[in-house]
Amino acid sequence: MVCHAAIALIISVAASHSAHAASTARATQKNQAEAQRAELQQKLKTLKTDINKTETAKDKASDALAASEQAISEANRSLRDLKIEQGDTEARLQKLLDEQKRLSAKVDLQKKQLSDFLRHQYMRGDSDRIKLLLSGDNPNRINRDLQYMSYVSQTQAKMIEGLRVSLAAVEKNARDEQEAKDELDEIAQEELTHKNALESEKKKRSTLLAQLADKLHAQKKEADSLQKDEQRLGNLVSRLNKLIEEQIKAEQARAAQIEKQRQEKLALEKEQRDKAAKDKALANQGKKSGKASNTNAIDADEPPAKSFAKNEQTPTPNNFEGEFSKLKGQLRLPVKGELIARFGSKRGDGPSWKGLFIKTNEGAEIKAIAAGRVIFAEWLRGFGNMIIVDHGSRYWSLYGNNQSVFKHVGDVVKAGDTIASAGNSGGNEESGLYFELRYQERVFDPLTWVTIK
C-alpha cells in the first residue's frame, strides 16, 4: 500500500511539475524541482522505514518458525528410532517366549523320565548294597549286581541334575522375559511422551504460521523477498524514475500531438487526394500497434503454476548404486506427486527456479535418488528443513521444504532410503519437495537425468 501511494503521489508531482514548467520562469523551475526532489527523498525514506519494519518482524517470526520446525523434525526422528527399538524388543520378547515353551516342555519330559525311572526301581524291589553283601550268594553274582546298582545310581543322579539345570534355566528365562516386558513398557511410555511433545510443537508451529500467513502471501512473489534491502530499494527507485520519465514524455507527446493536429488541419485540403490511402495506412498501423504490450506494468506476476507432469515411482533399495555420472537418464524422482515448477521457469518478480517443486501430501516419504553421504541436514532460511547428499565426483542432490529430516551429517545412504518427510517448512505455501541437482556447485535441470513414470 505504501509503495502504490508513493508512486501515485510522485506521478501527481511530476504532472504538476510539467504543467508549472510551461508557465513559470527558469529560476522558479529550479526552485520547484529542488522542492520536489526533497519531497521525493522524504517519501523514499518513509517507504524504506516501512519496508525495514515489515522485514524485521518477518525475520523474527521466521527465526521462531525455524526453531519450531527443527523441534518437530527432532521429535519425528526420535519417534522413528523408538519404533525401530520397540520392534527389536518385541522380537527379543518373542524369542524368550519361544524359549520358555521349549524349556517347559523339556522340564516336563525330564520329570516324567525321573518318575518312570523311580517307579521302575520300586517295582523291581532291588535290595540295598548291605543286604546284597550279607546274602551269602555267589560272589560273582554279588559283584555284578553291585555294578548294576552303581550304574542305576549314576543315571538317577544325572537325571536329577539335568532337571535342576532345566529348572534354573526356566527361572532365568522368566526373569529375562519380565525385564523385556518392563523395557517394552518403558519404550511405550517414552514414545507417548515424544508424541505429546510433537503435538505441542505442531500447535506452536500452527500459531506461528497463522501469524505469518498474511505477510507471506503479500510478499511471496515480490523480488524483495529474495534480495537484500539495498537491492529492493534500488529496484523501487528505478521504477519510480521510469514512471516520472514516462509521465514527462507523455506530457511532451501530448503537446506534440496538439501541434501535429493543428498542422494537419492547415494541410487538410491539400491531403484530400490521399485520404483513402492514408486511412488504409493508419488502419494497418493501428492493427500493428494494438499488439504492443504494456511496458509500464510494475507487478507483472505470472498466474499460479499448474501441474505439467505427475510422478508415480520413486527410487527403490539396491538400485542406482553405481557411479553417479553414469546414471543419467536412469534416476527417479525422490517423491510421488505433481510437478508444478520447472527448472528455469520464471518465479514471479524474482529469479528463475533452480530446481523442481513437486507438490505432495505432508508427511510423504522422501527417498534418496542414489547412494551417497549426507553433508548437510539442518534448517536453512527460504528452504526450511533441508538435506544435501554428496554422490561423489562433486555431484550433489538437494531436498528442501521438508517437514522432518531423518538422517544426520555423515550418514551413508543407499538409493531408496527414506531420508526425510515432505512438508512446507521455510514459509512455503504448498506442501511438497523442492529438489535440485548440482555438479561442481552449479545447478542443472533434473529432468535431463530422471525418468518420470
Side-chain angles (χ1 to χ4, degrees), residues 323-326 371 375 388-398 437-441 444 449:
E323 184 177 346
F324 191 86
S325 60
K326 297 180 181 180
I375 59 175
I388 302 176
V389 178
D390 182 359
H391 301 287
S393 301
R394 302 186 69 182
Y395 283 98
W396 294 358
S397 58
L398 292 76
L437 285 178
R438 291 179 178 251
Y439 174 62
Q440 295 183 349
E441 302 183 9
F444 60 90
W449 279 65

Side-chain angles (χ1 to χ4, degrees), residues 65-77:
L65 176 62
S68 177
E69 290 177 342
Q70 285 176 315
I72 289 175
S73 177
E74 290 297 328
N76 278 330
R77 181 186 296 165

Side-chain angles (χ1 to χ4, degrees), residues 308-370:
F308 65 88
K310 189 173 183 178
N311 183 60
E312 295 290 350
Q313 291 190 7
T314 57
T316 55
N318 302 322
N319 287 343
F320 317 124
E321 298 296 334
E323 184 177 346
F324 191 86
S325 60
K326 297 180 181 180
L327 298 177
K328 184 175 182 179
Q330 305 177 39
L331 300 175
R332 295 175 184 170
L333 290 174
V335 69
K336 297 178 181 180
E338 298 181 356
L339 280 69
I340 62 174
R342 188 190 299 269
F343 176 85
S345 61
K346 191 65 176 176
R347 191 174 185 177
D349 280 347
S352 300
W353 285 91
K354 299 300 187 297
L356 304 176
F357 187 81
I358 306 171
K359 181 180 178 181
T360 189
N361 295 330
E362 184 174 350
E365 291 187 343
I366 307 300
K367 305 293 184 68
I369 62 170

